[in-house]
Amino acid sequence: MTAVACCSPLQGAPLSAEDAQTLARTVKALADPTRLRLVSLVAAHGGEACVCDLTEPVGLSQPTVSHHLKVLVDAGLMTRDKRGVWAYYALVPGALADLARVLSTP
Amino acid sequence: MTAVACCSPLQGAPLSAEDAQTLARTVKALADPTRLRLVSLVAAHGGEACVCDLTEPVGLSQPTVSHHLKVLVDAGLMTRDKRGVWAYYALVPGALADLARVLSTP
DNA sequence: CGAGGGGATCGACGGATGTCAATGTCTGCG
DNA sequence: CGCAGACATTGACATCCGTCGATCCCCTCG
């Protein structure tokens, strides 16, 4: 639901239990090979793709793909835009970069 | 066991099923609030800590902490160095940065 | 050598998770 | 209106995962 926890250095001060849980929820959304492929496919598809574009490349059923996309949307990593019959999924612009910055603060 | 898959852009070309599985194994190691706290605690402890330093802050049993640390070591994110009676865990220098770079290639 | 302590491993259990088939919902078209 | 297609939701099932108590290993010190 919420975007990436954009204020936790991870290195530096120890994470509180709450911050750890929040950050883990985002990381968990990416901790699945299918969801990583979906992110990669959407990015390579011009930043936007509908479910019908993704079902065949990942080789899973349509409900399963739909479920994974929902997980990514709930984690704040993707957006869903329903236009007509199709639902277009797109990456949230800074989300992955924010997460990356939280993981490795130099 | 192996370090972070340091050659997958994630954005750009679509991930293969094998690359996705490899990357997911690393991300999965961080997809737990306890393990995120352990990484954070070790980093804040001067980059090195023994199990006895970590058990009390996370509030879990010693076997559980030991299990989580093993997961992090197996993922290539930490190293284990047994000196005398104590086992010192430390972050692998570039591991988190490598992972962050894979997640958000500009 | 025997005792003590730090840590790893084992076995078990409950909850979370990925997957699919079946079904429901909504949109556009004839 | 009625049908077909694109997605979402539900229910069920198998599996994985985090956690703990009990136990085992190994090092150090009397």
Side-chain angles (χ1 to χ4, degrees):
Chain A
M1 186 182 289
T2 68
V4 157
C6 46
C7 316
S8 319
L10 198 139
Q11 311 186 42
L15 245 55
S16 72
E18 296 78 22
D19 287 352
Q21 195 127 13
T22 302
L23 181 55
R25 212 177 310 139
T26 303
V27 177
K28 217 180 275 262
L30 283 176
D32 180 273
T34 298
R35 290 197 284 270
L36 286 171
R37 294 190 75 191
L38 287 175
V39 167
S40 179
L41 283 166
V42 168
H45 202 267
E48 194 180 61
C50 61
V51 179
C52 58
D53 293 328
L54 303 169
T55 300
E56 179 260 334
V58 300
L60 294 175
S61 70
Q62 173 265 318
T64 300
V65 172
S66 210
H67 160 70
H68 284 307
L69 289 169
K70 177 177 169 52
V71 171
L72 290 168
V73 170
D74 288 350
L77 297 172
M78 278 194 180
T79 57
R80 191 183 96 111
D81 180 29
K82 181 146 191 174
R83 291 202 297 269
V85 183
W86 292 275
Y88 291 92
Y89 287 86
L91 294 178
V92 170
L96 279 176
D98 286 351
L99 176 59
R101 188 166 36 77
V102 170
L103 290 183
S104 79
T105 45
Chain B
M1 184 184 285
T2 67
V4 157
C6 45
C7 316
S8 319
L10 200 148
Q11 311 187 40
L15 245 56
S16 72
E18 296 77 24
D19 286 352
Q21 196 128 12
T22 302
L23 181 54
R25 213 177 309 140
T26 303
V27 177
K28 218 180 275 263
L30 284 176
D32 181 273
T34 298
R35 290 197 284 271
L36 286 171
R37 295 191 74 191
L38 287 174
V39 167
S40 178
L41 283 166
V42 168
H45 201 268
E48 196 180 62
C50 62
V51 179
C52 58
D53 293 327
L54 303 169
T55 301
E56 178 259 334
V58 299
L60 294 175
S61 69
Q62 174 264 319
T64 300
V65 173
S66 210
H67 161 70
H68 284 307
L69 289 170
K70 177 177 170 53
V71 171
L72 290 168
V73 170
D74 289 350
L77 297 172
M78 278 194 180
T79 56
R80 192 183 94 110
D81 180 29
K82 181 146 192 175
R83 290 201 298 269
V85 183
W86 291 274
Y88 290 92
Y89 286 86
L91 294 178
V92 170
L96 279 177
D98 285 352
L99 175 59
R101 187 166 38 75
V102 170
L103 290 184
S104 79
T105 46

